[in-house]
Amino acid sequence: MSKFIYFILLLMCVGHSLPYSELYIDEDFSTKWALFVYGNEDAESMYDAFADMALSIMLSIAIPLYVLTMKLIKELSSK
């Protein structure tokens, strides 16, 4: 349970440290993503597309950090 809470806190820290997703995600790509996933490109589906991509970016940063810190903790506790 503590590892899950640690991962959620790490994910929140990563998400908080990133700027608004509109600054680093290309609008053309998000339009194509919204059309592919949601079938239209209105404001709500564009917002959802930006949120989907921002979550995937946060996870792609948080998962390696989590794995590395867990390995570091395991290594330090074994010594």
Side-chain angles (χ1 to χ4, degrees), residues 8-74:
I8 296 299
L9 288 173
L10 185 65
L11 187 63
M12 288 173 52
C13 290
V14 168
H16 185 69
S17 66
L18 291 175
Y20 292 110
S21 58
E22 290 85 4
L23 296 175
Y24 58 89
I25 298 174
D26 186 39
E27 190 172 341
D28 293 332
F29 181 73
S30 62
T31 301
K32 290 176 185 176
W33 181 261
L35 285 172
F36 178 72
V37 174
Y38 301 109
N40 56 10
E41 58 175 302
D42 60 354
E44 184 177 346
S45 62
M46 289 295 290
Y47 181 76
D48 291 340
F50 277 115
D52 293 343
M53 288 183 273
L55 180 63
S56 65
I57 290 170
M58 287 188 304
L59 285 172
S60 67
I61 294 171
I63 290 173
L65 283 175
Y66 175 78
V67 170
L68 288 173
T69 55
M70 287 294 115
K71 285 182 180 182
L72 180 64
I73 290 170
K74 185 177 181 181

